[in-house]
Amino acid sequence: DERRARVHDDRAAAAARVACSSTHSLTVDPEGRVASFGSGLFGCLGHGDEAPRLEPRLIRALSHVRAVAVAAGRYHSLVLGADGRVY
């Protein structure tokens, strides 16, 4: 189906948790890695720019974090690490 998002990074393909806003989405894979896609307005995707992403992309800045939960608002994203820290 052409409406499905293509995933170039296989690690971003399996999602254990998902958060969606009206503008972007976040996923957490079974290993706790976070990927994002959608509108990058205000840097909410976490990739260091405001570019939109049509496909899930792992957030490099969170590569040291084992995420246990994510939340997405219209202009922000939140990640809860296994250590209790919020990013």
Side-chain angles (χ1 to χ4, degrees), residues 24-85:
H24 69 288
S25 299
L26 302 169
T27 64
V28 179
D29 72 10
E31 286 77 39
R33 295 177 295 218
V34 182
S36 63
F37 59 103
S39 171
L41 192 61
F42 302 114
C44 64
L45 296 181
H47 300 298
D49 58 23
E50 292 190 7
R53 301 293 193 291
L54 299 179
E55 303 163 358
R57 179 177 172 189
L58 290 175
I59 301 174
R60 289 184 190 158
L62 296 175
S63 62
H64 67 286
V65 175
R66 183 176 181 276
V68 295
V70 286
R74 186 167 181 176
Y75 301 118
H76 69 278
S77 299
L78 295 171
V79 176
L80 176 62
D83 61 0
R85 292 184 181 182

Side-chain angles (χ1 to χ4, degrees), residues 2-19:
E2 291 183 22
R3 294 175 292 165
R4 289 186 176 176
R6 294 177 306 160
V7 177
H8 291 287
D9 188 332
D10 291 337
R11 294 174 296 174
R17 303 204 183 285
V18 177

